[in-house]
Amino acid sequence: MSVPFSFSTSRIAKAIATGLCTGLLAGTAQASISDDEIRIGYLDDLSGPYSDLAGPGGLEAIRMAVEDFDSKVGDKKIVLFSADHKNNADLGANTAREWLDRRGVDLIAGLNSSAVAITVSRLVEEKNRFAIVSTAAAASLTNEYCTPNHLHYVYDTYSVSNGAANAIVANGGDSWYLLSADYAFGHAMEEQVSKAVAASGGKVIGKARHPFPTSDFSSYILQAQASGAKVIGLASAGSDLVNAISTANQFGLVDAGQTMASLMVFITDIKAIGLPTAQGTQFVSGWYWDMNDASRAWAKRYYERTKRMPTMVQAGMYSSTYQYLKAVEATGSDDPQGIREHMMKTPINDMFTQNGRVRADGRMVHDMYLAQVKTPEESKGEWDLFKILSTIPADEAFLPLSESKCKLVAKN
């Protein structure tokens, strides 16, 4: 049934004027898309020790976000590039520079390896482009290395180490031995865990750093075992973490009463290790596929394409790319500062998080979760590996701005 209505002449004139203005603004906005395309470069470890947790699966997640925009914003095509930086900062920098200078890439995404991420963040600031870091963990990316041209999205060394250390010390794990990857991520994690353990009333009684990557952890695990520490904290990820936990299991550390604390855990790690070995391990995560209806629905789509469930960073890559494209759509521009301003004032509500927000330092803050690896008896399926024990509110999960060294925070 139609409802009759009338327009006065003045209202018609106003509507026409508004339409003309809107059309002019739309034309101006479209013209502000550089090169008449939105160009995204996915730069990550596609073949090395971190390729399972991000790698080709991360590229697929970003492709899903692009496809959900029908591969265009307005009438501007979205073009996706990808490259393997092989965890080499020089290679990552050279690739990023070529993308920025010769291919006109607007957004560089992924960026596992803190050294690569820090290098690329400096480049996008110099070239006035944009980057969203989803894979690298060093909290310094939005602290001393913050820039107005990049965001840090999924997690960081502060958010995963603080919650884990506090919970484990509270449960009696008051003496620690830290085994860390010998590069920026491992160093940052080692420093943060040491602070968190001390603040919780515990003590770090020994430390060792291993090369990245490492296939033989025998000598490092023997040192940790000999320390007598109640908790062996592993500041490693990917294949390094899998190798370290497997070696510790072979040497009987857990059977002898020591606890393995995996400070950076991904679902692919636990799938590789297996529940019999990893069961009971507690850790902090930014996302899990079986958290709620939205996460399950998106994970099902992802699984249909890849035949595996997504890690938290792969989910974060979809979310961050989708939110970036929403910002381009809303502002009608790929201008980095306009994008950043829009993302800072717009809450993030999607399959990754609810009420996430981007702070002045470029950190996207959201709830984090204390999780535990299920026992084989608790698991109801191949990818039913974790259970969420508690929620760590966003304001508690990440480094407080009052402690920030970020130049952008100092100006506010």
PDB file of all heavy atoms in Angstrom, residues 220-242:
ATOM      1  N   TYR A 220      68.953 -25.929  24.649  1.00  0.00           N
ATOM      2  CA  TYR A 220      68.189 -24.880  25.332  1.00  0.00           C
ATOM      3  C   TYR A 220      67.210 -25.478  26.340  1.00  0.00           C
ATOM      4  O   TYR A 220      67.057 -24.968  27.458  1.00  0.00           O
ATOM      5  CB  TYR A 220      67.433 -24.027  24.304  1.00  0.00           C
ATOM      6  CG  TYR A 220      68.344 -23.347  23.315  1.00  0.00           C
ATOM      7  CD1 TYR A 220      68.445 -23.811  22.006  1.00  0.00           C
ATOM      8  CD2 TYR A 220      69.108 -22.256  23.698  1.00  0.00           C
ATOM      9  CE1 TYR A 220      69.289 -23.201  21.101  1.00  0.00           C
ATOM     10  CE2 TYR A 220      69.949 -21.621  22.789  1.00  0.00           C
ATOM     11  CZ  TYR A 220      70.039 -22.109  21.492  1.00  0.00           C
ATOM     12  OH  TYR A 220      70.882 -21.501  20.596  1.00  0.00           O
ATOM     13  N   ILE A 221      66.551 -26.562  25.977  1.00  0.00           N
ATOM     14  CA  ILE A 221      65.608 -27.198  26.883  1.00  0.00           C
ATOM     15  C   ILE A 221      66.330 -27.822  28.078  1.00  0.00           C
ATOM     16  O   ILE A 221      65.845 -27.770  29.221  1.00  0.00           O
ATOM     17  CB  ILE A 221      64.773 -28.259  26.134  1.00  0.00           C
ATOM     18  CG1 ILE A 221      63.879 -27.586  25.084  1.00  0.00           C
ATOM     19  CG2 ILE A 221      63.932 -29.079  27.100  1.00  0.00           C
ATOM     20  CD1 ILE A 221      62.885 -26.586  25.631  1.00  0.00           C
ATOM     21  N   LEU A 222      67.522 -28.375  27.838  1.00  0.00           N
ATOM     22  CA  LEU A 222      68.299 -28.935  28.945  1.00  0.00           C
ATOM     23  C   LEU A 222      68.698 -27.843  29.940  1.00  0.00           C
ATOM     24  O   LEU A 222      68.682 -28.061  31.159  1.00  0.00           O
ATOM     25  CB  LEU A 222      69.538 -29.656  28.412  1.00  0.00           C
ATOM     26  CG  LEU A 222      69.276 -31.004  27.723  1.00  0.00           C
ATOM     27  CD1 LEU A 222      70.545 -31.517  27.055  1.00  0.00           C
ATOM     28  CD2 LEU A 222      68.738 -32.025  28.737  1.00  0.00           C
ATOM     29  N   GLN A 223      69.081 -26.655  29.427  1.00  0.00           N
ATOM     30  CA  GLN A 223      69.391 -25.526  30.308  1.00  0.00           C
ATOM     31  C   GLN A 223      68.172 -25.125  31.134  1.00  0.00           C
ATOM     32  O   GLN A 223      68.275 -24.873  32.344  1.00  0.00           O
ATOM     33  CB  GLN A 223      69.855 -24.326  29.484  1.00  0.00           C
ATOM     34  CG  GLN A 223      71.201 -24.487  28.799  1.00  0.00           C
ATOM     35  CD  GLN A 223      71.512 -23.298  27.912  1.00  0.00           C
ATOM     36  OE1 GLN A 223      71.393 -22.146  28.323  1.00  0.00           O
ATOM     37  NE2 GLN A 223      71.907 -23.567  26.675  1.00  0.00           N
ATOM     38  N   ALA A 224      67.034 -25.072  30.482  1.00  0.00           N
ATOM     39  CA  ALA A 224      65.808 -24.698  31.185  1.00  0.00           C
ATOM     40  C   ALA A 224      65.454 -25.733  32.251  1.00  0.00           C
ATOM     41  O   ALA A 224      65.057 -25.393  33.375  1.00  0.00           O
ATOM     42  CB  ALA A 224      64.666 -24.562  30.177  1.00  0.00           C
ATOM     43  N   GLN A 225      65.626 -26.987  31.903  1.00  0.00           N
ATOM     44  CA  GLN A 225      65.332 -28.061  32.846  1.00  0.00           C
ATOM     45  C   GLN A 225      66.246 -27.984  34.062  1.00  0.00           C
ATOM     46  O   GLN A 225      65.807 -28.132  35.210  1.00  0.00           O
ATOM     47  CB  GLN A 225      65.496 -29.407  32.138  1.00  0.00           C
ATOM     48  CG  GLN A 225      65.041 -30.614  32.938  1.00  0.00           C
ATOM     49  CD  GLN A 225      65.130 -31.882  32.111  1.00  0.00           C
ATOM     50  OE1 GLN A 225      66.066 -32.069  31.337  1.00  0.00           O
ATOM     51  NE2 GLN A 225      64.153 -32.764  32.246  1.00  0.00           N
ATOM     52  N   ALA A 226      67.532 -27.715  33.808  1.00  0.00           N
ATOM     53  CA  ALA A 226      68.510 -27.663  34.896  1.00  0.00           C
ATOM     54  C   ALA A 226      68.308 -26.460  35.812  1.00  0.00           C
ATOM     55  O   ALA A 226      68.776 -26.465  36.959  1.00  0.00           O
ATOM     56  CB  ALA A 226      69.925 -27.626  34.315  1.00  0.00           C
ATOM     57  N   SER A 227      67.618 -25.431  35.334  1.00  0.00           N
ATOM     58  CA  SER A 227      67.423 -24.231  36.149  1.00  0.00           C
ATOM     59  C   SER A 227      66.548 -24.485  37.370  1.00  0.00           C
ATOM     60  O   SER A 227      66.629 -23.774  38.364  1.00  0.00           O
ATOM     61  CB  SER A 227      66.775 -23.126  35.301  1.00  0.00           C
ATOM     62  OG  SER A 227      65.402 -23.413  35.048  1.00  0.00           O
ATOM     63  N   GLY A 228      65.687 -25.509  37.273  1.00  0.00           N
ATOM     64  CA  GLY A 228      64.774 -25.791  38.375  1.00  0.00           C
ATOM     65  C   GLY A 228      63.585 -24.851  38.445  1.00  0.00           C
ATOM     66  O   GLY A 228      62.787 -24.923  39.392  1.00  0.00           O
ATOM     67  N   ALA A 229      63.430 -23.981  37.447  1.00  0.00           N
ATOM     68  CA  ALA A 229      62.295 -23.053  37.435  1.00  0.00           C
ATOM     69  C   ALA A 229      60.985 -23.814  37.320  1.00  0.00           C
ATOM     70  O   ALA A 229      60.903 -24.844  36.639  1.00  0.00           O
ATOM     71  CB  ALA A 229      62.441 -22.079  36.277  1.00  0.00           C
ATOM     72  N   LYS A 230      59.959 -23.303  37.980  1.00  0.00           N
ATOM     73  CA  LYS A 230      58.645 -23.941  37.895  1.00  0.00           C
ATOM     74  C   LYS A 230      58.027 -23.767  36.507  1.00  0.00           C
ATOM     75  O   LYS A 230      57.270 -24.628  36.052  1.00  0.00           O
ATOM     76  CB  LYS A 230      57.699 -23.346  38.943  1.00  0.00           C
ATOM     77  CG  LYS A 230      58.102 -23.614  40.385  1.00  0.00           C
ATOM     78  CD  LYS A 230      57.113 -22.959  41.339  1.00  0.00           C
ATOM     79  CE  LYS A 230      57.506 -23.176  42.798  1.00  0.00           C
ATOM     80  NZ  LYS A 230      56.569 -22.486  43.727  1.00  0.00           N
ATOM     81  N   VAL A 231      58.345 -22.622  35.871  1.00  0.00           N
ATOM     82  CA  VAL A 231      57.718 -22.288  34.595  1.00  0.00           C
ATOM     83  C   VAL A 231      58.793 -22.025  33.548  1.00  0.00           C
ATOM     84  O   VAL A 231      59.732 -21.262  33.794  1.00  0.00           O
ATOM     85  CB  VAL A 231      56.823 -21.033  34.725  1.00  0.00           C
ATOM     86  CG1 VAL A 231      56.158 -20.709  33.385  1.00  0.00           C
ATOM     87  CG2 VAL A 231      55.768 -21.229  35.810  1.00  0.00           C
ATOM     88  N   ILE A 232      58.652 -22.660  32.392  1.00  0.00           N
ATOM     89  CA  ILE A 232      59.520 -22.371  31.252  1.00  0.00           C
ATOM     90  C   ILE A 232      58.714 -21.515  30.285  1.00  0.00           C
ATOM     91  O   ILE A 232      57.763 -22.000  29.662  1.00  0.00           O
ATOM     92  CB  ILE A 232      59.998 -23.656  30.550  1.00  0.00           C
ATOM     93  CG1 ILE A 232      60.509 -24.681  31.572  1.00  0.00           C
ATOM     94  CG2 ILE A 232      61.053 -23.311  29.503  1.00  0.00           C
ATOM     95  CD1 ILE A 232      61.618 -24.180  32.460  1.00  0.00           C
ATOM     96  N   GLY A 233      59.050 -20.249  30.189  1.00  0.00           N
ATOM     97  CA  GLY A 233      58.323 -19.321  29.323  1.00  0.00           C
ATOM     98  C   GLY A 233      58.939 -19.294  27.935  1.00  0.00           C
ATOM     99  O   GLY A 233      60.138 -19.020  27.788  1.00  0.00           O
ATOM    100  N   LEU A 234      58.146 -19.593  26.913  1.00  0.00           N
ATOM    101  CA  LEU A 234      58.627 -19.654  25.529  1.00  0.00           C
ATOM    102  C   LEU A 234      58.196 -18.419  24.764  1.00  0.00           C
ATOM    103  O   LEU A 234      57.025 -18.258  24.426  1.00  0.00           O
ATOM    104  CB  LEU A 234      58.087 -20.910  24.844  1.00  0.00           C
ATOM    105  CG  LEU A 234      58.479 -22.243  25.485  1.00  0.00           C
ATOM    106  CD1 LEU A 234      57.772 -23.390  24.777  1.00  0.00           C
ATOM    107  CD2 LEU A 234      59.996 -22.434  25.440  1.00  0.00           C
ATOM    108  N   ALA A 235      59.143 -17.531  24.494  1.00  0.00           N
ATOM    109  CA  ALA A 235      58.873 -16.332  23.699  1.00  0.00           C
ATOM    110  C   ALA A 235      59.257 -16.624  22.255  1.00  0.00           C
ATOM    111  O   ALA A 235      60.201 -16.058  21.692  1.00  0.00           O
ATOM    112  CB  ALA A 235      59.647 -15.137  24.243  1.00  0.00           C
ATOM    113  N   SER A 236      58.538 -17.557  21.668  1.00  0.00           N
ATOM    114  CA  SER A 236      58.760 -17.986  20.294  1.00  0.00           C
ATOM    115  C   SER A 236      57.399 -18.177  19.652  1.00  0.00           C
ATOM    116  O   SER A 236      56.365 -18.180  20.326  1.00  0.00           O
ATOM    117  CB  SER A 236      59.540 -19.296  20.232  1.00  0.00           C
ATOM    118  OG  SER A 236      60.756 -19.217  20.937  1.00  0.00           O
ATOM    119  N   ALA A 237      57.397 -18.390  18.331  1.00  0.00           N
ATOM    120  CA  ALA A 237      56.138 -18.622  17.630  1.00  0.00           C
ATOM    121  C   ALA A 237      56.387 -19.508  16.432  1.00  0.00           C
ATOM    122  O   ALA A 237      57.531 -19.785  16.063  1.00  0.00           O
ATOM    123  CB  ALA A 237      55.514 -17.292  17.202  1.00  0.00           C
ATOM    124  N   GLY A 238      55.306 -19.958  15.824  1.00  0.00           N
ATOM    125  CA  GLY A 238      55.416 -20.748  14.614  1.00  0.00           C
ATOM    126  C   GLY A 238      56.167 -22.054  14.831  1.00  0.00           C
ATOM    127  O   GLY A 238      56.023 -22.725  15.858  1.00  0.00           O
ATOM    128  N   SER A 239      56.991 -22.426  13.867  1.00  0.00           N
ATOM    129  CA  SER A 239      57.708 -23.703  13.943  1.00  0.00           C
ATOM    130  C   SER A 239      58.675 -23.746  15.114  1.00  0.00           C
ATOM    131  O   SER A 239      58.951 -24.828  15.663  1.00  0.00           O
ATOM    132  CB  SER A 239      58.452 -23.970  12.636  1.00  0.00           C
ATOM    133  OG  SER A 239      59.399 -22.952  12.367  1.00  0.00           O
ATOM    134  N   ASP A 240      59.223 -22.590  15.537  1.00  0.00           N
ATOM    135  CA  ASP A 240      60.102 -22.570  16.711  1.00  0.00           C
ATOM    136  C   ASP A 240      59.349 -23.030  17.949  1.00  0.00           C
ATOM    137  O   ASP A 240      59.865 -23.819  18.762  1.00  0.00           O
ATOM    138  CB  ASP A 240      60.657 -21.162  16.945  1.00  0.00           C
ATOM    139  CG  ASP A 240      61.849 -20.847  16.064  1.00  0.00           C
ATOM    140  OD1 ASP A 240      62.406 -21.784  15.469  1.00  0.00           O
ATOM    141  OD2 ASP A 240      62.228 -19.665  15.968  1.00  0.00           O
ATOM    142  N   LEU A 241      58.132 -22.535  18.119  1.00  0.00           N
ATOM    143  CA  LEU A 241      57.335 -22.921  19.283  1.00  0.00           C
ATOM    144  C   LEU A 241      57.006 -24.413  19.235  1.00  0.00           C
ATOM    145  O   LEU A 241      57.120 -25.120  20.247  1.00  0.00           O
ATOM    146  CB  LEU A 241      56.045 -22.100  19.327  1.00  0.00           C
ATOM    147  CG  LEU A 241      55.074 -22.437  20.461  1.00  0.00           C
ATOM    148  CD1 LEU A 241      55.704 -22.160  21.812  1.00  0.00           C
ATOM    149  CD2 LEU A 241      53.778 -21.659  20.304  1.00  0.00           C
ATOM    150  N   VAL A 242      56.615 -24.898  18.084  1.00  0.00           N
ATOM    151  CA  VAL A 242      56.299 -26.317  17.929  1.00  0.00           C
ATOM    152  C   VAL A 242      57.510 -27.173  18.284  1.00  0.00           C
ATOM    153  O   VAL A 242      57.402 -28.161  19.032  1.00  0.00           O
ATOM    154  CB  VAL A 242      55.829 -26.609  16.486  1.00  0.00           C
ATOM    155  CG1 VAL A 242      55.687 -28.120  16.271  1.00  0.00           C
ATOM    156  CG2 VAL A 242      54.515 -25.911  16.202  1.00  0.00           C
TER     157      VAL A 242
END
